Amino acid sequence: MSDTILDLHEARLTLDGNAGPVEILKGVTLAVDRGETVGLVGPSGSGKSSLLMVMGGLERATGGRVAALGHDLTAMGEDALARFRRTHMGVVFQSFHLIPTMTALENVATPLELAGRGDAFDRAEAELRAMGLGHRLDHYPSELSGGEQQRVALARAAAPRPDILLADEPTGNLDGPTGAEIMDLLFALNARHGATLVLVTHAPDLAARCSRTIRLEDGRLARHRQAAE
Amino acid sequence: MSAARRIARRELRAGFRNGLRGFRVFLACLALGIAAIAAVGSVREAITAGLQREGATLLGGDASVEFTYRFAGAAERAALRDLGTVSEIVEFRSMATVPQDEGGADRALTEVKGIDDAYPLYGDLVLAPPAGAGAALAGDPPGAAMDPVLADRLGLSPGDTFRLGQKTFRLAARIAREPDDAGGGFDLGPRTLVRTADLEGTGLLEPGTIFETEYRLRLPPGADLDAARDRLAAALPEGGYRWRDAREGAPGIQRFVDRLSAFLVLVGLAGLAVGGVGVASAVRAHMVEKTATIAILKTLGAEGRTILAVFALQIGAVTALALGLGLTLGAGLPLAFAPLLADRLPVPAAIGVYPRALLEAALYGTLAAALFTLWPLAKSQDIRAAALFRDGGSLPGGLPRPAFLAATGALLAALVGSAALLSGIPFLALYTAFGLLAAFGALLATAWGVRRLARRIARLPALRGRTAIRSAFGSVGGPGGEAASVVLSLGLGLTVLAAVGQIDANLRSAIERDLPEVAPSYFMVDIQPDQIDAIRALAEDPAVAEVQAAPMLRGIVTRINGADAIETAGDHWVLRGDRGVTYAASPPPDTTITAGEWWPEDYQGPARISFAAEEAAELGLALGDRLTVNVLGRDIEAEITSFREVDFSTAGIGFVLVMNPAALQGAPHTWIATVYADPGAEARILRDVADRFPNVTAISVRDAIDRVSQILSGVAAAVTYGASATLVTGAVVLIGAAAAGTRGRSYEAAILKTVGAARAGILASFALRWAILGLASGLVAALAGTASAWGVTRFIMETGYVFAPGSAAVVILGGVVLTLLAGLAFAWGPLAARPAGILRARD
């Protein structure tokens, strides 16, 4: 029995632009298994980030079906999606997207609090310490370097132990060594907790570290590569 | 400079193409402030012009010569007739009495006006049913016209009879309009109009009775008023009369209007200060948005001063637009509401466009705009080219350069100086400026304190797990919060409203609070000397606690040490018109002599005066000074030999001038008495006195207080409207702040949704943070407003201060409700937006 955690069937996304509707995803069919690491690659504007957003329920597919852990995301309301992400998904962005009015600790504790975890702050602190940020707990995002901010974002995504980790070019705004450090942490999380990782990246070497690479071109899947190939 | 102008034009063009999106709050705030001041000024000018245009009608003639409780003598009448057509008017207070079938009577205080056939010289007397005065008032019993309020109070219809003094009159008509009743609403009793000739037999114009006569003059066309005044002065060198002419038909009203409008302009300036917060925020946000442009311009070689010029020109253009909008609105509103204003104002107003009012508003608007835009503009110079490579979002910190600090000081001084100079009430203008600056400081400190406190609260272990509450406090306390702009804009508006509310409540309660324990039930005037013993005997009535009585004359202080009194001591109220004068052999009970000595009881020498100490100090009088007091046309020169404390606030008998008996006893006079009685017995006492002595006029202190309260309510309402305009500006700033924060909140909501927050939780967090800011603003406003009100009541109104909790509670609650409403109005966008779109835009 296959253990599919993400299941997309003919997923489509059309957005309204200034010059009329723009078709971003033109029918993507894809299945990701539990524990898998998937690299999403492709030229700029090919729809990689949009596909990731659709997988996370951050963007609603305008056609087809998107299911995560057997739940049809396209049939869920905004709040139901939020509650689903709370326990099952962690998202890491290129621009970190930390809440500017919260400290590092508070940022990491927030999803745990939302999930009703009584030990939210203890767990958040442990996560940040594990990321080497024990000395930055009470700092606001604006007081942290880019690498530190991304490690906070990573801690926030990983702290609830999600089934799925979605990462959208997490090293895009970082220098080489810092980026490499972040990627090591990301893959370590996958290895340690068994979270399924979907990673959007432009870097071939990062994609190569994934168990599978999916290439997207003009909103369609171009080809797959299995690590074993 | 030309390069700066060209760049500025390009920038502005882009702004206009964008619908001046970033400048809408700027425009609204400035235009509203300017419009409010321009509208108040326009109405003031309209009333001034109306009073001037209608001067002769309001005065009743081109000029009026007034005598106090006497008619003009033969020589005086001849001198008046030499100048033009004369109309004689007599005015006094009396009781209108309607006998009832069962033996009792209804009574009401009235201001009786006796007229002659020449009345009115100007304007029209309108009666209902329509009739000429001559025809309506003729007949037997003689006719009278009454203010409808009085007729209704007494239940009189045309044809019914009533009594004035000992004589019966017939109500012939109701008065629909009395042409020379400028602001007559300030009188204690409504009007009864009769022919002077018919007053004979009433017993109301006996010697010593308090009445005034006016001889209105219609001068030949083109006559010189000054020349006429001088001719009369030459013909009547003894004086003893008061001259007024149509150039100042209603000086009391003019003074009142000037004061009230000056006060409203000050309230308007407070509104402009509130708007200034919005203006400053808008310019700051604009400069932040333009950081990249500025950095690029610097990279391309633009100097700091070029950058400053570019944005100063831009802001200048938007300011000009706001000025245009504000002045159009300020001038247009009175025009649009002209019929309503004419109907509601008790005085004539020539509604029109008055450049002086608009120029004053433009001056305030320009200075305020310059003051509030200078700092953010100055910061543009300090933006470095390197900002291009960093994340923008804020202007460089710290104070602007010294030159800008100096310019800020100069602008502030110019604004406060203009207000002090143009308002005509410099002390109050300076007080207001100080109050506003203090409120600004207090609110800034509060914003800082609220942020610190909120940050601490957000970290309380007790709040862990309560994401909505924690993130609300975290947001208020965190970097880039809205605390400062919300607390300042809303707080300042609410402070003005709180101060006005507290002052208003205190004004009302001061009258109710301070008087009842000590105030008499009735003032009785026009008591003839042979009646005073009977009035004093009222004290034997068990319901009467006390009766105080004093002889009463009226006199005008004409000279001080031989020189003209007003020229010597200024236009003080004691010297303005006639004052009550009394005589006493010994100091009245409880009198405190502060300087000098009272005359011996049997003193028969040259006339002496004991003068009220506080007023004497204001007039600069010293012991030994000689005053000339004109009593009944006779000059009495007397030496000041003592000063006394006189407390006018007790509503008891208080005379500024007391003379020794020998100086005045020979003059015909009446007595004044105050009767302190149980409220339950007041009606009976009035009935007894009125039945026995129909000539005696009893003024109910309670009625008088009600009348004063009514007038104060009107003033308070006008000021509250003014303060509400300030709050409207505050609300605009608040809405601007809420709108400006939408982007930040959308972002926050997107992240919170990403990590699993539902919309209800996010909305609760948003609502809570607005409520926190609203509560803080309301609390500080209530405190600052209370402090201001305390200062005003203590030092300006010189009454006690009592905190009015109701008014303060409304302000605090208002703060919470307003912020919540403004915030919720902009909450849906952030809540409804999909996270992906928002987050993608930030990448």
Side-chain angles (χ1 to χ4, degrees):
Chain A
M1 178 184 145
S2 79
D3 195 6
T4 303
I5 198 162
L6 277 169
D7 188 10
L8 285 77
H9 181 74
E10 281 297 308
R12 293 175 181 277
L13 180 67
T14 305
L15 294 179
D16 289 325
N18 287 333
V22 183
E23 233 185 323
I24 297 182
L25 298 178
K26 299 172 179 171
V28 176
T29 299
L30 170 72
V32 179
D33 290 342
R34 186 179 289 275
E36 217 183 339
T37 53
V38 178
L40 268 176
V41 297
S44 296
S46 59
K48 308 184 291 294
S49 292
S50 297
L51 182 59
L52 197 80
M53 295 290 153
V54 166
M55 287 174 173
L58 297 167
E59 191 77 87
R60 190 186 296 272
T62 48
R65 184 173 175 277
V66 179
L69 290 150
H71 297 270
D72 183 0
L73 300 189
T74 53
M76 287 161 79
E78 195 76 5
D79 289 341
L81 284 169
R83 281 190 289 271
F84 183 79
R85 279 192 296 271
R86 191 187 281 178
T87 40
H88 299 297
M89 285 184 178
V91 190
V92 184
F93 301 92
Q94 178 180 353
S95 297
F96 328 132
H97 292 321
L98 299 175
I99 296 174
T101 53
M102 290 186 190
T103 60
L105 183 65
E106 289 165 346
N107 261 289
V108 179
T110 297
L112 297 165
E113 279 185 304
L114 289 168
R117 300 286 296 257
D119 59 346
F121 275 77
D122 296 338
R123 184 120 174 232
E125 186 176 337
E127 204 71 33
L128 280 166
R129 289 194 187 283
M131 296 278 177
L133 288 172
H135 59 303
R136 296 291 204 198
L137 299 179
D138 290 331
H139 285 63
Y140 285 103
S142 56
E143 298 164 345
L144 301 173
S145 71
E148 287 172 329
Q149 287 189 56
Q150 194 60 301
R151 274 190 279 168
V152 175
L154 210 53
R156 183 177 68 184
R161 301 286 174 261
D163 299 294
I164 304 163
L165 255 177
L166 304 172
D168 186 6
E169 294 191 56
T171 59
N173 276 348
L174 304 174
D175 59 53
T178 312
E181 206 177 302
I182 291 295
M183 286 318 298
D184 288 345
L185 284 169
L186 199 56
F187 280 104
L189 282 173
N190 163 258
R192 203 178 315 141
H193 307 300
T196 306
L197 173 67
V198 182
L199 171 71
V200 170
T201 181
H202 276 291
D205 54 328
L206 286 182
R209 289 177 67 176
C210 295
S211 56
R212 178 157 61 122
T213 305
I214 297 168
R215 186 170 179 81
L216 217 61
E217 273 172 17
D218 192 25
R220 291 190 179 88
L221 289 192
R223 69 182 151 94
H224 285 218
R225 175 194 68 80
Q226 290 290 339
E229 283 176 17
Chain B
M1 193 51 151
S2 62
R5 212 163 40 221
R6 276 197 301 274
I7 298 168
R9 206 171 53 216
R10 265 177 240 143
E11 281 286 320
L12 206 58
R13 191 182 55 206
F16 272 110
R17 214 179 293 141
N18 198 16
L20 287 175
R21 188 180 294 272
F23 284 111
R24 284 178 195 168
V25 170
F26 181 115
L27 279 170
C29 287
L30 202 54
L32 264 176
I34 293 166
I37 294 173
V40 168
S42 294
V43 174
R44 177 196 61 209
E45 295 292 312
I47 293 175
T48 303
L51 289 176
Q52 271 167 10
R53 190 185 64 191
E54 304 280 319
T57 308
L58 292 169
L59 189 66
D62 295 313
S64 159
V65 173
E66 191 179 304
F67 296 91
T68 302
Y69 65 4
R70 70 185 183 91
F71 285 90
E76 289 162 334
R77 285 172 193 268
L80 289 164
R81 270 197 303 272
D82 271 355
L83 295 174
T85 310
V86 180
S87 169
E88 183 192 75
I89 304 291
V90 58
E91 283 184 284
F92 59 92
R93 283 193 196 105
S94 186
M95 309 296 284
T97 309
V98 181
Q100 300 295 306
D101 294 340
E102 56 271 25
D106 271 354
R107 293 183 182 79
L109 185 70
T110 176
E111 302 263 346
V112 180
K113 177 154 143 184
I115 58 171
D116 60 7
D117 293 338
Y119 177 85
L121 289 177
Y122 288 99
D124 298 308
L125 172 71
V126 184
L127 299 176
L137 304 185
D140 187 27
M146 255 187 191
D147 186 314
V149 172
L150 182 62
D152 289 344
R153 192 182 301 160
L154 291 169
L156 291 175
S157 304
D160 293 346
T161 57
F162 66 97
R163 250 182 28 224
L164 285 177
Q166 296 159 3
K167 193 166 173 178
T168 300
F169 285 81
R170 169 182 49 84
L171 181 66
R174 291 160 177 253
I175 302 170
R177 197 162 73 89
E178 191 184 339
D180 51 341
D181 184 35
F186 292 93
D187 289 335
L188 279 179
R191 174 75 74 212
T192 301
L193 205 64
V194 296
R195 289 195 314 186
T196 307
D198 294 330
L199 289 170
E200 198 176 319
T202 56
L204 296 174
L205 293 175
E206 298 302 304
T209 309
I210 300 167
F211 65 91
E212 284 170 356
T213 55
E214 265 188 60
Y215 292 83
R216 275 89 177 269
L217 295 167
R218 189 211 295 272
L219 303 177
D224 182 344
L225 289 167
D226 287 332
R229 185 189 58 206
D230 294 346
R231 263 179 66 196
L232 188 69
L236 305 172
E238 293 295 311
Y241 61 85
R242 191 154 76 104
W243 168 280
R244 285 195 293 153
D245 58 51
R247 288 171 297 191
E248 251 199 324
I253 304 289
Q254 183 69 63
R255 219 172 8 244
F256 177 76
V257 168
D258 284 349
R259 282 295 164 100
L260 183 59
S261 59
F263 190 62
L264 285 176
V265 165
L266 290 183
V267 174
L269 279 175
L272 210 49
V274 175
V277 177
V279 165
S281 305
V283 175
R284 178 170 289 276
H286 181 66
M287 300 316 295
V288 168
E289 201 175 301
K290 292 292 171 190
T291 304
T293 308
I294 293 169
I296 293 168
L297 285 170
K298 286 213 163 172
T299 310
L300 299 177
E303 293 172 311
R305 62 173 181 210
T306 310
I307 305 280
L308 181 70
V310 165
F311 289 97
L313 281 168
Q314 238 189 73
I315 301 295
V318 182
T319 302
L321 187 61
L323 273 174
L325 276 173
L327 293 178
T328 308
L329 200 63
L333 277 177
L335 287 175
F337 290 98
L340 188 72
L341 278 173
D343 192 43
R344 295 293 295 273
L345 284 172
V347 288
I351 302 290
V353 176
Y354 292 94
R356 183 182 182 273
L358 301 186
L359 276 175
E360 191 181 334
L363 173 71
Y364 289 140
T366 310
L367 286 173
L371 183 64
F372 284 99
T373 55
L374 190 63
W375 280 32
L377 271 178
K379 291 282 174 193
S380 69
Q381 278 196 307
D382 301 329
I383 293 173
R384 296 175 188 283
L388 260 186
F389 312 108
R390 284 199 306 267
D391 189 30
S394 65
L395 288 178
L399 287 173
R401 298 173 191 188
F404 290 106
L405 288 178
T408 304
L411 282 168
L412 188 63
L415 187 59
V416 175
S418 308
L421 210 66
L422 294 175
S423 67
I425 38 175
F427 176 71
L428 197 57
L430 291 175
Y431 185 88
T432 308
F434 173 77
L436 280 174
L437 280 176
F440 247 107
L443 288 165
L444 275 175
T446 303
W448 180 83
V450 164
R451 286 186 62 177
R452 298 274 300 196
L453 189 66
R455 201 179 297 190
R456 293 194 131 198
I457 292 175
R459 296 197 184 162
L460 287 178
L463 289 188
R464 292 185 172 179
R466 296 180 167 85
T467 321
I469 303 175
R470 188 177 57 73
S471 73
F473 278 101
S475 163
V476 171
E482 301 152 314
S485 62
V486 170
V487 169
L488 261 184
S489 59
L490 184 68
L492 214 51
L494 285 174
T495 300
V496 176
L497 209 66
V500 170
Q502 291 286 327
I503 292 169
D504 179 32
N506 265 273
L507 263 179
R508 290 164 200 266
S509 68
I511 295 169
E512 288 162 16
R513 187 183 64 223
D514 296 348
L515 285 178
E517 285 171 31
V518 290
S521 312
Y522 289 108
F523 263 104
M524 296 194 175
V525 298
D526 295 338
I527 303 165
Q528 291 297 322
D530 60 354
Q531 298 169 332
I532 189 62
D533 289 338
I535 298 288
R536 278 194 166 130
L538 287 174
E540 291 159 19
D541 187 323
V544 176
E546 192 186 356
V547 175
Q548 290 179 358
M552 168 79 167
L553 297 92
R554 294 191 78 80
I556 306 172
V557 179
T558 54
R559 284 192 282 279
I560 298 172
N561 293 327
D564 184 89
I566 291 182
E567 281 175 20
T568 308
D571 186 22
H572 192 278
W573 66 269
V574 170
L575 307 179
R576 223 179 280 146
D578 56 296
R579 297 262 76 81
V581 185
T582 191
Y583 61 83
S586 53
D590 303 326
T591 296
T592 309
I593 306 284
T594 57
E597 278 181 17
W598 196 270
W599 42 82
E601 284 208 21
D602 55 351
Y603 177 73
Q604 294 290 327
R608 288 184 176 175
I609 286 181
S610 176
F611 208 97
E614 191 178 335
E615 284 68 26
E618 288 164 9
L619 289 164
L621 295 175
L623 289 177
D625 280 348
R626 304 190 68 76
L627 301 184
T628 305
V629 186
N630 187 291
V631 178
L632 285 171
R634 186 169 67 95
D635 279 343
I636 301 171
E637 193 177 6
E639 182 188 343
I640 301 175
T641 53
S642 66
F643 292 126
R644 279 162 308 120
E645 267 178 18
V646 180
D647 184 1
F648 291 102
S649 68
T650 60
I653 297 180
F655 284 94
V656 174
L657 291 125
V658 181
M659 295 174 93
N660 61 304
L664 291 173
Q665 240 161 2
H669 62 268
T670 55
W671 286 67
I672 179 173
T674 50
V675 179
Y676 296 75
D678 292 343
E682 284 177 0
R684 175 176 57 79
I685 292 165
L686 174 67
R687 199 166 52 235
D688 293 349
V689 171
D691 287 345
R692 284 177 68 192
F693 310 118
N695 62 299
V696 172
T697 301
I699 300 165
S700 158
V701 171
R702 192 161 294 123
D703 286 351
I705 289 168
D706 285 349
R707 189 75 200 95
V708 172
S709 302
Q710 239 174 339
I711 293 165
L712 285 177
S713 301
V715 174
V719 176
T720 307
Y721 287 139
S724 306
T726 307
L727 195 66
V728 168
T729 313
V732 170
V733 181
L734 194 66
I735 289 168
T742 306
R743 220 171 133 216
R745 274 190 296 277
S746 298
Y747 182 52
E748 190 180 333
I751 301 172
L752 283 169
K753 282 184 191 178
T754 304
V755 298
R759 282 172 297 187
I762 300 171
L763 182 64
S765 166
F766 286 175
L768 186 60
R769 71 187 66 173
W770 292 316
I772 293 167
L773 291 176
L775 185 68
S777 311
L779 278 172
V780 180
L783 272 175
T786 300
S788 308
W790 173 81
V792 169
T793 49
R794 179 86 181 72
F795 299 113
I796 296 175
M797 287 160 39
E798 297 186 3
T799 65
Y801 174 78
V802 172
F803 177 63
S807 165
V810 167
V811 165
I812 296 167
L813 195 69
V816 175
V817 171
L818 272 174
T819 30
L820 269 177
L821 286 179
L824 289 175
F826 291 91
W828 180 242
L831 284 178
R834 286 206 191 294
I838 305 288
L839 298 175
R840 195 182 293 126
R842 288 266 183 156
D843 277 338

